[in-house]
Each structure stands twice: as structure tokens, then as C-alpha cells.
């Protein structure tokens, strides 16, 4: 969790270009010991490039990355003590699970007994005891990611970077795996930066969350703060707010803050386009006269409208953004 | 789990795999069957089980095997350490002109062997460009050193390309992960990309051995009978020794001699291809900054310079022979009556023969490629079996192929007037394994989705193939065809074995002219053949995919 201790990772005014294209522009943030920062953004926003730059796989055009106060500019990747977990687990195919997990301590020059202790402890932490002699090819996606996490932890990183590690995992396994990762990292007190395009995952996992749009950091803070009070229209759109043009700017409201009433009630006249069941209730897609399509979340007790119905849309709470 | 490199079978509308039959039939009728009959005939006439003893009683036969082993091993052992650093530089680092260099490295492979041999004489022969300036290097103008040097010119680029492919087959994700776990560059080499590079270099080494052990033109011209490989000895026994039985038995022994290195090469190639098709790679991380990278770059530049110097010398000497004379005169004479008198037919006809045979052989390869594409779309599981089958001609050396075709197909087709058919057949069979390599990767990557859509929309199987799959492998097919054309243009061994004067090709003309001591004319013909080959090579790279060995 965030603490008053000095930050373990500092990213300051970081800019990165790939070829002639500017991918990241003046990114700054800090990660406290044991903290998990979720960095959210749509595809192409520069999330992966940011992680690759922190770990040393890309060179920044400007700015600095510091670990425990030390500038990493001239520190090669293998000496940075920053772990990286990818969407594909990237396990060594011709090594067993145990050999994969023992790889880090071994290449760092630890003794065999120390390596063995570290590897077994890490495997136990991710509940993969008994899989030591298995070939990675025989594991499920979730098991592979747990082995990859064990391998990362066994290498004793100061910070772990998670690059959408759950994106290729079946939905049924994903939720449990997220919780397990969160627990393991907290248990070991390892700071982490997790990137995802899935806002629910980011909000769930992060002690703090940050929004990265078009290479710029638009917001950073506690999940509820960032979600409840987006600072600009781009962030609001990414977080799932409905947007309506209003004068020279935009008006935004959340789907769960909206309601639909019979026509004639106070509200914006809309046509119902589609209605779907979500488990918790219904999701209704409506279109207003100006052509905007908006989403409304209704709880299970609310009456489900029918496609084609004319209704009045109203909302409890809204935000306003200038253009 | 399915192999990621394996094509997915279409889920819609089964179609038959019958088009595989013409491919199987073609190789069977014109390669496997004649060779098997030749072996059977040799064994029948040569006394059955004791044939190996009988064969090895001849000191010249034993010498030929020793020569094949020596020339093959020496060439492979030298080609690997020379080619490996440049292969690593090509496969691991990003630098301007990298793809052009990769393409250029295929030039020596496509060079006609007779042109290379003549080039060696141009550089290191008695009045060679290099040996005149540095007499000590005259040692490369004759004998074993000359043969090995010529083999290296062909084969070092092969080692470079295979090593580069091996380096590129390493997963960049795995390499990055190893680094974040604390593994430095040496560990990354040992654990991630080094093994692939060794695999590539080993595959290149074995292919070098295979090519060098059955070399024909190099021992024939650069050394003579005492350096004959088994290949040259078979030719000699049949054509001048009047001992077809002995030649057939020697061919059988050569076939058996090649089985193990060919099998090892195919296993290495399969592992290399499967690892390179199963990984996602980002652009290579390496940029030329470190002293090691500069050293690798220097070696690569030196090798490229040597190849360019070699090609330049061949072209220059073809225009300006060392004895003096007007610049360009040999080219003019080449098309004149003197050359016609020496060759028996005008050079224009020689050129027409060359282009015609190569074009028809390439068309055959292309048609077989189209049929293979259709069959593999229907039955992707045929891929391994079919590619192994199409690699069988690798076991059949050019002389063995030509010898068996001459023995069994020439009488069937009606004698010497139909020799041109056999030349075309031999060129197509010899080109098949290499040309279809260029097609294998695009075929393996065929997505059935578009084909399924076409079938669902009502297209018959053939139309769906032509409309969806064929456009996806069009460039691969074009490359395969051009590759076969280039190999046919320069093919010397089998053509020389089969040819009669009326059907002479440029490579045969080069050999005949130098055999008649008409060196300026031979060099002019070699220059012409080189230019034609370079033009085709340019077309391969301009019009098609990157060609694969």
C-alpha cells in the first residue's frame, strides 16, 4: 500500500520515440514500496512502451527512471532488478517448471541450495508445488502465468512490471488469478506496475490507478477518485462515461447513474436500440435525437424496456468538460 | 496443443487431396524409379551381394570416396567458422541495407558452378588477377585448395543465411524475460538465441558437405582425375570408362553415402523451420554499437567485398581478357562464326536453349507448386510427408539423376533427338527441393478463414482455392518459379551428362570452350551467363518473396 517511505520506482518526465513517432510524452509518476499501480489505457496508448522503457528494453529520448533513488540510465536490463511479466508467459520451452523458476537465482550467481530454497518457496507461493518436473507445454494458460510469476518473484526484483498478464486467460480463471497475483505480490511486499486496457481489472487491482491516453498521463490517484472525478473528456470516455455535447463542451454521466422513464416524464427523449441481460441487471443502448448512442445500466428490479420504445432519459449526477 | 506453425484445416467443404498425385507421380517416374532401376541393373550385372567389395577393389573408386569425404568435410569445417560471425551479424543486428545484403547472399548459391570455376582461374590461375599481384595466392588456382575455395564461395553464404535464420528463430520475449531475471548477454546467448544459431550453422554446414561432396565442375576443371569426387568418377566411368555397371554400383554407393548427412540436414532444417515459425519476434534489439558488433560487421563487409570482387572480376575478364585485345571483343566473337564453329551451333541458339530449358523446368516446378498448395489446403497433415518426399531428390546427385534418366528414359523417348526433354526433367527435379522451400512457409501460414467464407458463399473447391489461397501464396510461387529458373540456367552437371551438341546450354558452352583452351571465349560466355543469372536473381528479389534455401 502507499506509504510515507521513499518511492521505490520513480519515473520522471519520460519521453520515448519509436523512429520518428513520439509514443510517450513527459510521463512522471512514483511507486511506493509494496504498492501496485494500475496503468490503464486503450490499445496503442503507449502502455507497453512505457514498461519496456522502465525495464531498459527501449531508450528514452528524455527523462529518467530511478530505482531506490538510483538513476538507471546506464544500467543494463539484467542488472536493473526489475521483473517483467508478459501476456505470453514466455517460459523457457526446454526447461521444466522448476528449472524455469530457478533460472533467475541461478543466473544471478546464488548457491544451488539458496536457488533451490527460492524456487520452491516461489512455487509454493503460487500454489504450483507438485508441478516441478512438468514441461511448460503441458500447463494451462493460468498455470503458465502462475509459473511465470513464481519465476519473477524468485529472482528477487525490487519492482515487477505486469504487461496485461491476464489478457490471454479464460474468463472463468481470470478473476481468481487476478486475486492470487494481488495476494502474492502483497505477501512479498513487492511494488508493481500493472498495465491493462481492461478498466475493471485495473480498478480492481490497483492501490492507485493511472490513465494513459495517446502517450500522456491524464490522471493518477486512488481508483475511486479517478473513476468518480475524471479530469478530462478522454479519461471519462475511457472509464465508460456517457458523453453528450453541451454548448462548447461535453456533459458526462455514468450508465449506472441514469434512468429511463415513460415519455412525458422529465428527461431527454430517446429511442431504445437494444437491451441485454448482464447478470446484475440490464444494459440498455439508447439513441437520442442528436444521434448520440448512450448506455444505461438498470438493476434487476427495474422494468426492462423493449427495443423501439420511446422513453425519457435522466441522470442523477453529471460532470462537465470544456473542449 | 496444435503446432502453431501448422496450417489449420478448413472447416468447410472437404476437398480431395488428389492433386498430390501428379507431384508424387512426377518425382517417382523421373527420379525414384529410374534410379531404383539403375541400382537394380547394377546389382544384377555386378554380382549381387559382393558388390561393395568389388567396387572398393578399384583404387580409383576408393580415391573418389576419399576425395568426396575430404572435399566435403574440409569445405564444411571451414565454411561454418567463416560464415557464423556474419550470420550472427545479419540475424542479430539492425543496420541499413540489411535486407539487400540478405538478398545479395543468395547470388553465389545461384551462380552456375562452371562460372565459379572459371572465376577461380581468373583470380588465382596462372595469369590470374590476384595471383599476379600476390604469387603466394596462386595456390588457390589449382588442386585441393582451389576446389575448397570454390566450394566456400558457394557455401559460406548458405551458412550465413542459415545462421541468421537460427538467430532470428529465438523468441524476443524469452530473451527479454531472461534479461529481466538477471541473465546478461552471455546467458542470453547460451540459453536463448545461441542454440538456434548453432542449429542454423550446423544445417548450413551439412548442406555445404552435401554440395561439396558431390561437386562436379570444381574437381573436373580445377584439379583433374586425382581430385575426382564420386560424382565425377561416375561420369568418367560411364562416359569414358565404358563401364555403366561400375558407374551404376558407384552411384548406389554414393546414394548410401549421402543418406546419413542428408537425414541429419533434414532434421536440422525441420527443427530450424519449426522454431522460426512458432515464435513472435520483435525487430532485433541489437544496434551496431559494441566492439563485438563492429568486429562482426568488419567480417561481413570483408566477405561481401570478396563476393563482389569475384563477380566483378569475372565480368571484367569476360570483356577484357588478360592477353590484351580490344575491350569487349570476346563478346563480339562469341556471337561470331568462330564460336559457332567451335560449339557446333550459333551462340544465339545456345542462349535460346538455356532460357527455354530453364523456363520449362521452372513452369513444371510452378505447376507442381500450385497443385501442392491445393493438396495441402485440403490435407495440411500431408505437409510433413510431402516435403520429405520432395526432399528425396536431394539424395540423388545430378550425375546419378542424369545417368538414370539416360539409361531408362532416353530409349523410351526415342534417342538423342529427345534429349532436351530429359534436360528439362533433370533441371526441374534438381530445383524442386530448393524452389519449393520458398513456398513452404507461405503455405504453412495459409488461413482457412477466407477459403471457408468463399465455400460458404457457394464457390466450388477449386474456385475457392484460386480466389483465396492462391493470392496468399502468389509471391511464394513466383519466387519458387524464378528460383527454379535461376537454378536451371546455371545447371551444369546433369545437363553436361545428357547433352548433345544441338541442345548445348550456356554452362556447357563455357566448359566446352575452356576445354578447347579458348579462354577468352569461355570467359565471355561465363560473363554472359553471369549477367543472365544476375538479372533473374534481381527478378527473384523484386517480384517475389525472399527466397529461402
Amino acid at each position: 500500500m502507499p506509504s510515507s517511505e521513499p518511492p521505490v520506482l520513480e519515473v520522471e518526465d519520460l519521453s520515448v520515440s519509436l523512429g520518428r513517432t513520439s509514443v510517450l510524452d513527459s510521463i512522471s509518476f512514483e511507486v511506493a514500496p509494496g504498492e501496485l499501480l494500475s496503468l490503464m489505457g486503450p490499445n496503442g496508448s503507449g502502455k507497453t512502451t512505457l514498461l519496456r522503457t522502465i525495464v531498459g528494453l527501449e531508450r528514452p529520448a528524455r527523462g529518467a527512471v530511478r530505482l531506490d533513488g538510483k538513476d538507471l540510465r546506464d544500467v543494463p536490463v539484467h542488472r536493473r532488478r526489475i521483473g517483467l511479466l508478459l501476456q505470453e508467459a514466455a517460459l523457457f520451452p526446454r526447461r521444466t517448471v522448476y528449472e524455469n523458476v530457478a533460472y533467475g537465482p541461478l543466473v544471478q550467481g546464488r548457491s544451488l541450495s539458496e536457488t533451490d530454497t527460492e524456487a520452491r518457496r516461489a512455487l509454493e507461493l503460487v500454489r504450483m508445488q507438485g508441478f516441478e518436473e512438468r514441461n511448460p507445454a503441458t500447463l494451462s494458460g493460468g498455470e503458465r502465468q502462475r509459473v511465470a510469476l513464481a519465476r519473477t518473484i524468485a529472482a528477487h526484483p525490487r519492482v515487477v512490471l505486469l504487461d496485461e498478464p491476464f489478457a490471454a486467460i479464460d474468463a472463468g480463471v481470470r478473476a481468481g488469478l487476478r486475486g492470487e497475483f494481488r495476494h502474492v505480490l502483497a505477501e512479498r511486499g513487492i511494488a508493481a506496475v500493472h498495465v491493462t486496457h481492461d478498466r475493471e481489472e485495473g480498478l480492481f487491482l490497483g492501490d492507485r490507478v493511472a490513465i494513459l491516453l495517446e502517450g500522456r498521463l491524464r490522471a493518477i490517484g486512488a481508483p475511486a477518485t479517478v473513476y468518480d472525478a475524471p479530469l478530462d473528456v478522454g479519461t471519462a470516455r475511457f472509464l465508460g462515461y456517457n458523453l453528450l455535447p453541451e454548448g462548447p463542451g461535453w456533459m458526462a454521466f455514468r450508465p449506472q447513474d441514469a434512468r429511463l422513464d415513460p415519455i412525458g416524464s422529465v428527461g431527454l427523449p430517446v429511442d431504445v436500440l437494444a437491451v441485454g441481460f448482464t447478470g446484475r441487471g440490464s444494459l440498455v443502448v439508447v439513441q437520442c435525437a442528436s444521434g448520440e448512442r448512450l448506455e444505461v445500466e438498470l438493476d434487476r428490479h427495474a422494468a426492462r424496456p423493449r427495443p423501439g420504445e420511446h422513453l425519457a432519459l435522466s441522470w442523477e449526477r453529471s460532470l462537465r468538460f470544456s473542449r | 496443443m496444435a503446432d502453431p506453425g501448422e496450417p489449420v484445416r478448413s472447416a468447410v467443404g472437404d476437398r480431395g487431396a488428389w492433386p498430390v498425385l501428379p507431384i508424387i507421380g512426377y518425382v517417382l517416374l523421373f527420379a525414384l524409379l529410374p534410379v531404383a532401376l539403375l541400382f537394380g541393373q547394377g546389382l544384377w550385372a555386378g554380382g549381387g551381394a559382393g558388390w561393395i567389395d568389388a567396387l572398393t577393389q578399384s583404387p580409383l573408386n576408393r580415391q573418389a570416396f576419399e576425395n568426396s569425404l575430404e572435399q566435403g568435410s574440409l569445405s564444411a569445417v571451414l565454411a561454418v567458422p567463416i560464415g557464423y560471425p556474419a550470420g550472427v551479424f545479419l540475424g542479430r543486428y539492425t543496420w541499413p541495407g540489411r535486407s539487400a545484403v540478405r538478398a545479395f547472399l543468395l547470388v553465389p548459391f545461384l551462380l552456375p558452378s562452371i562460372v565459379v570455376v572459371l572465376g577461380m582461374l581468373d583470380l588465382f590461375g596462372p595469369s590470374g588477377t590476384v595471383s599476379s599481384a600476390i604469387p603466394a595466392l596462386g595456390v588457390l588456382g589449382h588442386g585441393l585448395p582451389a576446389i575448397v575455395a570454390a566450394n566456400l564461395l558457394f557455401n559460406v553464404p548458405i551458412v550465413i543465411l542459415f545462421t541468421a535464420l537460427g538467430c532470428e528463430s529465438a523468441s524476443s520475449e524469452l530473451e527479454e524475460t531472461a534479461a529481466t531475471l538477471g541473465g546478461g548477454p552471455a546467458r542470453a546467448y547460451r540459453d536463448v538465441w545461441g542454440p538456434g544459431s548453432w542449429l542454423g550453422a550446423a544445417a548450413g554446414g551439412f548442406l555445404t558437405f552435401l554440395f561439396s561432396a558431390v561437386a562436379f565442375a570444381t574437381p573436373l576443371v580445377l584439379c583433374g582425375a586425382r581430385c575426382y569426387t564420386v560424382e565425377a568418377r561416375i561420369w568418367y566411368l560411364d562416359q569414358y570408362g565404358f563401364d555403366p555397371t561400375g558407374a551404376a554400383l558407384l552411384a548406389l554407393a554414393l546414394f548410401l553415402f549421402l543418406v546419413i548427412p542428408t537425414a541429419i540436414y533434414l532434421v536440422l532444417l525441420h527443427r530450424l523451420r519449426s522454431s522460426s515459425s512458432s515464435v513472435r519476434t520483435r525487430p532485433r534489439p541489437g544496434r551496431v554499437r559494441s566492439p563485438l558488433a563492429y568486429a562482426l560487421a568488419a567480417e561481413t563487409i570483408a566477405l561481401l567485398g570478396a563476393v563482389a570482387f569475384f563477380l566483378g572480376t569475372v565480368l571484367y575478364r569476360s570483356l577484357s581478357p588478360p592477353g590484351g585485345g580490344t575491350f569487349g571483343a570476346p563478346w563480339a566473337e562469341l556471337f561470331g562464326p568462330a564460336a559457332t564453329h567451335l560449339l557446333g551451333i550459333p551462340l544465339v541458339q545456345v542462349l535460346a536453349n538455356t532460357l527455354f530449358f530453364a523456363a520449362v523446368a521452372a513452369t513444371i516446378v510452378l505447376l507442381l507448386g500450385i497443385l501442392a498448395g491445393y493438396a495441402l489446403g485440403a490435407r495440411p497433415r500431408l505437409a510433413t510427408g510431402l516435403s520429405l518426399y520432395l526432399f528425396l531428390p536431394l539424395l540423388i546427385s545430378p550425375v546419378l539423376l542424369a545417368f538414370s534418366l539416360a539409361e531408362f528414359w532416353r530409349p523410351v523417348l526415342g534417342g538423342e533427338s529427345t534429349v532436351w526433354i530429359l534436360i528439362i526433367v533433370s533441371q526441374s527435379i534438381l530445383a524442386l527441393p530448393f524452389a519449393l522451400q520458398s513456398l513452404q512457409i507461405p503455405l504453412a501460414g495459409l488461413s482457412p478463414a477466407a477459403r471457408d467464407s468463399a465455400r460458404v458463399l457457394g464457390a466450388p473447391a477449386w474456385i475457392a482455392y484460386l480466389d483465396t489461397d492462391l493470392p496468399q501464396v502468389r509471391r511464394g510461387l513466383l519466387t519458387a518459379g524464378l528460383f527454379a529458373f535461376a537454378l536451371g540456367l546455371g545447371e551444369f552437371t546433369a545437363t553436361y551428362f545428357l547433352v548433345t551438341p544441338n541442345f548445348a546450354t550456356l554452362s556447357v558452352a563455357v566448359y566446352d570452350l575452356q576445354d578447347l583452351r579458348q579462354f577468352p571465349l569461355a570467359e565471355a560466355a561465363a560473363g554472359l551467363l553471369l549477367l543472365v543469372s544476375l538479372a533473374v536473381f534481381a527478378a527473384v528479389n523484386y517480384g517475389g518473396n525472399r527466397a529461402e534455401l
Side-chain angles (χ1 to χ4, degrees), chain B residues 447-517:
Chain B
S447 157
R451 186 195 322 144
D452 286 351
S453 303
R455 296 285 281 134
V456 169
L457 292 168
W462 261 106
I463 300 293
Y465 172 65
L466 294 175
D467 285 347
T468 59
D469 290 347
L470 206 56
Q472 291 182 66
V473 296
R474 181 174 47 93
R475 288 169 71 85
L477 270 174
L478 188 61
T479 305
L482 287 167
F483 208 71
F485 184 65
L487 286 171
L489 277 183
E491 209 291 316
F492 170 64
T493 312
T495 309
Y496 184 64
F497 195 105
L498 291 165
V499 78
T500 55
N502 275 350
F503 301 112
T505 61
L506 260 179
S507 61
V508 172
V510 173
Y511 179 77
D512 284 346
L513 289 168
Q514 71 83 37
D515 202 34
L516 294 165
R517 321 297 290 171

Side-chain angles (χ1 to χ4, degrees), chain A residues 126-315:
Chain A
V126 300
R127 297 186 297 115
M128 288 295 285
Q129 314 101 299
F131 286 74
E132 286 86 349
E133 298 310 314
R134 291 273 292 272
N135 183 311
T138 65
L139 303 177
S140 69
E143 288 167 345
R144 276 203 289 271
Q145 282 300 14
R146 278 153 64 193
V147 174
L149 178 63
R151 183 176 66 176
T152 306
I153 288 169
H156 273 279
R158 291 287 293 140
V159 176
V160 171
L161 309 180
L162 305 161
D163 189 358
E164 309 223 25
F166 314 112
I169 305 293
D170 290 345
V173 181
R174 199 183 305 150
L177 203 60
R178 281 177 194 159
E180 205 169 321
F181 267 49
R182 186 78 187 86
H183 168 73
V184 168
L185 291 168
E187 181 95 357
R188 294 291 286 253
I190 299 173
V193 180
H194 160 248
V195 304
T196 181
H197 64 273
D198 180 338
R199 61 175 180 257
E200 279 184 23
E201 181 178 302
L203 292 168
F204 168 76
L205 277 177
D207 294 317
R208 285 188 302 151
V209 297
I211 309 287
L212 188 67
L213 297 173
E214 295 170 338
R216 284 168 173 265
L217 207 56
R218 300 292 184 93
I220 185 163
T225 311
V226 170
Y227 183 67
D228 288 341
L231 297 175
D232 58 42
V233 69
T235 306
R237 182 180 285 123
F238 175 76
L239 290 170
Y241 280 67
N242 287 313
L243 293 170
L244 279 172
E246 187 186 65
W250 294 91
M251 197 261 296
F253 62 93
R254 298 185 301 196
Q256 63 268 38
D257 292 336
R259 55 179 290 163
L260 292 166
D261 295 303
I263 203 79
S265 312
V266 175
L268 184 71
V270 292
D271 293 330
V272 175
L273 294 180
V275 184
F277 181 62
T278 63
R280 283 172 297 192
S282 305
L283 183 72
V284 185
V285 180
V286 298
Q287 181 167 310
C288 57
S290 57
E292 269 76 22
R293 289 184 181 179
L294 309 165
E295 290 184 354
V296 179
E297 273 181 36
L298 302 177
D299 64 32
R300 286 188 89 126
H301 308 295
R304 287 183 78 186
R306 291 171 187 280
E309 269 190 85
H310 301 291
L311 296 170
L313 174 70
S314 59
W315 49 88

Side-chain angles (χ1 to χ4, degrees), chain A residues 80-93:
Chain A
R80 290 197 171 196
R81 296 193 59 205
I82 298 178
L84 177 64
L85 217 72
L86 303 167
Q87 183 176 328
E88 303 293 332
L91 298 178
F92 298 109

Side-chain angles (χ1 to χ4, degrees), chain A residues 48 52 55 57 59 77-78 82-84 86 88 90-95 103-104 107-108 144 151-152 155, chain B residues 1 171 173-185 187-188 190-192 271 275 280 282 287 289:
Chain A
T48 296
R52 289 173 62 78
V55 86
L57 294 166
R59 288 181 78 84
V77 181
H78 63 285
I82 298 178
L84 177 64
L86 303 167
E88 303 293 332
L91 298 178
F92 298 109
R94 289 185 189 84
R95 291 169 192 254
Y103 185 87
V107 297
Q108 289 168 18
R144 276 203 289 271
R151 183 176 66 176
T152 306
Chain B
M1 218 172 97
S171 151
E173 277 88 355
L174 214 55
E175 191 175 340
E176 290 165 7
T177 303
T180 61
L181 292 170
R187 290 299 301 214
R190 212 191 85 175
D191 296 334
V192 184
R271 286 187 58 186
S275 58
R280 280 171 39 206
R282 289 201 177 93
R287 293 192 174 82
R289 283 203 192 101

Side-chain angles (χ1 to χ4, degrees), chain B residues 67-458:
Chain B
N67 288 340
S68 279
L69 200 60
E70 182 181 41
Q71 290 167 28
S73 310
L74 208 55
S75 303
V77 163
L78 288 172
V80 170
I82 295 172
Y84 186 78
V88 169
F89 185 63
L90 188 66
R92 289 284 306 167
Y93 293 88
T94 46
W95 35 277
R98 184 167 165 265
S99 56
V101 165
R102 185 188 281 276
F104 179 70
L105 283 169
L106 270 180
V107 171
F109 181 76
L110 295 176
L111 278 184
S113 57
I114 193 68
V115 171
V116 171
V117 167
L118 226 59
M120 292 304 292
L121 293 173
D122 284 346
L123 287 166
F124 304 109
S127 57
T129 311
V130 174
S131 55
S132 303
I134 312 168
L137 288 179
V139 71
L140 296 176
H142 187 73
L144 182 64
I147 292 172
V148 172
N151 286 340
L152 290 178
L153 188 89
F154 282 122
N155 294 302
V156 166
I158 291 175
V159 173
I160 296 174
L161 289 169
F162 273 122
T163 304
L165 187 65
C167 291
E168 289 161 348
S169 71
S171 151
S172 46
E173 277 88 355
L174 214 55
E175 191 175 340
E176 290 165 7
T177 303
T180 61
L181 292 170
R187 290 299 301 214
Y189 175 66
R190 212 191 85 175
D191 296 334
V192 184
W193 66 271
S197 71
W198 307 330
L199 195 66
F206 272 93
L207 196 57
T208 301
F209 176 85
L210 288 171
F211 284 145
S212 305
V214 300
F216 180 70
T218 40
L220 201 67
V221 180
L222 292 173
C223 186
R226 73 182 167 85
C227 298
Y228 276 6
T229 54
V230 182
E231 186 84 336
R233 175 83 184 139
I234 296 168
W235 165 80
Y236 179 84
L237 276 179
D238 183 64
Q239 304 267 316
Y240 294 98
F242 305 109
D243 181 10
T245 303
L249 290 176
L250 202 58
L252 174 56
L254 176 63
F255 182 86
L256 297 174
F257 174 77
L258 294 178
V259 166
I260 291 176
T262 305
I264 295 174
Y265 165 68
L266 291 180
V267 168
L268 292 171
L269 186 69
H270 176 71
R271 286 187 58 186
L272 192 63
R273 293 233 179 278
S274 53
S275 58
S276 62
S277 62
S278 65
V279 296
R280 280 171 39 206
T281 52
R282 289 201 177 93
R284 292 289 99 196
R287 293 192 174 82
V288 187
R289 283 203 192 101
S290 66
L292 175 67
Y294 286 124
L296 295 173
E299 206 248 2
T300 309
I301 291 167
L303 289 176
L304 292 171
V307 174
F309 180 67
F310 180 89
L311 298 177
T313 305
V314 172
L315 276 178
Y316 180 74
R317 293 275 294 242
S318 76
L319 290 160
S320 174
T326 319
F327 186 81
W331 280 64
E333 280 178 39
L334 196 60
F335 289 92
T340 306
H341 176 69
L342 290 166
L343 294 170
I345 53 172
L347 195 88
V348 174
Q349 194 183 331
V350 172
L351 193 57
N353 286 344
T354 310
L355 295 171
F356 176 69
F357 297 160
V360 179
T363 307
I364 291 170
V365 169
L366 205 60
L367 288 173
L368 294 179
I370 291 172
L371 291 172
Y374 184 89
L376 293 181
R379 298 271 192 281
R381 296 208 175 278
L382 285 175
T384 308
L386 187 64
S387 63
L388 272 178
Y389 183 76
L390 292 175
F391 268 113
L392 279 177
L394 260 188
L395 274 171
I396 301 170
S397 68
V399 158
L400 171 55
L401 180 68
F403 185 18
S404 60
L405 287 172
E407 284 291 308
F408 296 98
W409 275 105
R410 190 145 56 188
V412 173
L413 291 173
E416 294 196 345
S417 60
T418 53
V419 143
W420 62 276
I421 298 174
L422 298 182
I423 293 175
I424 289 169
V425 166
S426 67
Q427 289 185 359
S428 63
I429 294 277
L430 292 171
L432 205 55
F434 298 104
L436 290 188
Q437 279 284 323
S438 304
L439 198 53
Q440 241 179 357
I441 291 173
L443 279 179
L446 274 182
S447 157
R451 186 195 322 144
D452 286 351
S453 303
R455 296 285 281 134
V456 169
L457 292 168

